[in-house]
Amino acid sequence: MSEQKQEWPLFEVFIRARSGLEHKHVGSIHAVDARMAIEHARDVYTRRQEGVSIWVVRSNDITASDPEEAEALFEPARDKIYRHPTFYAIPDEVKNL
Amino acid sequence: MYTQGLDSLGKDCLHPEGVDGAALEARFQGKIDVDDKIEPKDWMPDAYRQTLIRQISQHAHSEIVGMLPEGNWITRAPTLKRKAVLIAKVQDEGGHGMYLYSAAETLGISRDQMFEQLLSGAAKYSSIFNYPTPTWADVGAIGWLVDGAAIMNQIPICRCSYGPYARAMVRICKEESFHQRQGFEIMLTLARGTEAQRRMAQEALDRWWWPSLMMFGPSDAQSKHTAQSMRWKIKRFTNDELRQKFVDITVPQAEYLGLKVPDPLVKWDPAAQHYGFGPIDWSEFNAVLKGNGPCNRERLQARRTAWDEGAWVREAALAHAEKQRARSARAA
């Protein structure tokens, strides 16, 4: 353990809990390639039938938005309340709307 | 998101240009005060990052070293059912270690760095795993008491301010309950068995009771990190609060088993609505923590051997994957 060895790459793991649901991020795993990442993810993240399908992707291949930009990215949606159905006043007598 | 590209962390750690550190710190604490979560790429004070790295990695090491005392009994479990259960439990502990290493890696420390800290003795792990498991009843006592104490410690961490740690704890707590119940069931079976089996259960309780109480850490008066960790909502209850809770729920369980906790001062206090208990021998705790428990050297040696003997596998797997990649690149 003295000399610095190359570490196995990191993969992010996404699991579909059952058909009809989306894959959801559950954590990460080290593996030498994608095949091994799926096998290790099976052992680490689905010991109790938590999933029917696994996606893995190299962590380095993910591009994430910067928290510092959160305001610039997400603030513009805040004042557009007319995008929600509750913005519109409809008389009670009108049904099915 | 667990990924944060380790390379980008350096930048994130630094205060962005022109923003004053006190303002960042105030905004950070403000988020925590309203129970907002901190995520890997968010700005955080370096002391918060270091505290979490220390706590999460030591927690992970505890899971991994914790596989050893029970692994000792896999080949000698009394029935096939008990053996299957014990294998599943020990495998869970390995899984818990992996969830936690994953969470710690989001803070900018690599898996190998953490292993190195464990193997060199620089990082601590829970002192409880430095005790031996001489009989099958110890496996029962560990599940009932040690996992019971762990659950008590871990449930509040499910609401910890750091997102990846909190999420890992939710998974762990869901699985931990099986561990405690199977342990209690082993104790119950022994307690209802022959006189020799009952005695075996009592002796295991005698061995594990005090070390389990010590698992909650030093008393509040001695605990260096408690106040800051509570302000950061890494910790939600003090060591003594959790210890008292554990005693309150465990003493009646021991009574149900017809066993006696090895403390003559344990007594229900109707005014306080708690069980009183005797003083803890902290000199023992400190000795074990310093490396002088019954099994410290053996545990670390087992981890070092596993690491060293696995080196060729790690290298060969990497070399094989490299070769496959080169081959498919040529074919394309």
Side-chain angles (χ1 to χ4, degrees), chain B residues 42-329:
Chain B
D42 294 340
W43 184 88
M44 59 186 89
D46 199 48
Y48 177 83
R49 184 186 301 279
Q50 296 311 325
T51 299
L52 279 169
I53 288 179
R54 194 189 65 236
Q55 182 172 334
I56 302 173
S57 66
Q58 293 187 3
H59 194 160
H61 299 327
S62 302
E63 300 283 354
I64 299 302
V65 177
M67 297 167 83
L68 298 169
E70 293 180 290
N72 181 34
W73 279 93
I74 288 177
T75 55
R76 287 172 287 159
T79 67
L80 189 56
K81 179 189 111 180
R82 295 288 187 202
K83 185 174 184 158
V85 168
L86 188 55
I87 290 173
K89 178 179 191 294
V90 173
Q91 192 191 9
D92 272 355
E93 311 294 4
H96 296 176
M98 298 302 123
Y99 306 155
L100 289 162
Y101 283 129
S102 270
E105 281 175 287
T106 64
L107 291 158
I109 187 168
S110 79
R111 188 80 58 115
D112 280 8
Q113 278 174 305
M114 286 186 274
F115 285 158
E116 214 163 289
Q117 290 174 352
L118 171 67
L119 299 181
S120 72
K124 299 262 181 288
Y125 54 88
S126 183
S127 60
I128 194 90
F129 301 115
N130 291 315
Y131 291 88
T133 45
T135 73
W136 171 250
D138 292 289
V139 174
I142 288 181
W144 171 39
L145 300 172
V146 176
D147 288 285
I151 291 172
M152 196 66 77
N153 258 326
Q154 289 171 166
I155 285 180
I157 310 178
C158 295
R159 296 188 293 125
C160 156
S161 61
Y162 188 58
Y165 192 25
R167 293 192 286 275
M169 287 321 302
V170 169
R171 300 182 73 86
I172 290 174
C173 286
K174 267 192 211 158
E175 300 181 354
E176 206 76 68
S177 166
F178 134 62
H179 298 181
Q180 192 188 17
R181 290 170 67 115
Q182 66 84 39
F184 188 81
E185 197 203 61
I186 290 174
M187 296 300 276
L188 191 60
T189 307
L190 292 171
R192 287 176 174 170
T194 64
E195 184 45 35
Q197 287 173 318
R198 205 202 60 79
R199 206 167 43 240
M200 201 202 267
Q202 179 63 55
E203 285 168 7
L205 170 57
D206 293 347
R207 275 192 288 276
W208 292 93
W209 174 256
W210 289 109
S212 299
L213 293 194
M214 294 177 201
M215 275 179 75
F216 295 94
S219 69
D220 296 347
Q222 309 294 318
S223 177
K224 295 181 283 190
H225 305 300
T226 294
Q228 181 59 74
S229 284
M230 289 186 80
R231 208 153 36 241
W232 281 334
K233 293 190 183 166
I234 293 174
K235 201 170 178 156
R236 297 273 185 165
F237 298 97
T238 70
N239 296 350
D240 286 336
E241 284 169 342
L242 291 168
R243 189 168 12 247
Q244 182 65 58
K245 244 179 171 174
F246 176 76
V247 171
D248 287 345
I249 66 157
T250 311
V251 170
Q253 292 168 354
E255 276 167 10
Y256 183 84
L257 292 171
L259 303 176
K260 245 184 108 38
V261 297
D263 177 358
L265 297 177
V266 162
K267 205 175 145 235
W268 178 250
D269 176 349
Q273 288 290 299
H274 287 300
Y275 281 92
F277 55 98
I280 292 173
D281 177 8
W282 291 111
S283 61
E284 176 185 325
F285 177 77
N286 289 325
V288 178
L289 215 58
K290 283 206 179 71
N292 299 316
C295 301
N296 293 58
R297 274 168 284 270
E298 186 185 330
R299 299 290 184 242
L300 263 193
Q301 196 48 53
R303 290 311 312 155
R304 286 189 191 124
T305 305
W307 179 256
D308 292 342
E309 291 181 354
W312 72 271
V313 179
R314 294 192 298 276
E315 286 160 27
L318 211 50
H320 178 72
E322 208 42 65
K323 198 169 81 182
Q324 294 297 315
R325 252 191 300 277
R327 192 172 287 169
S328 58

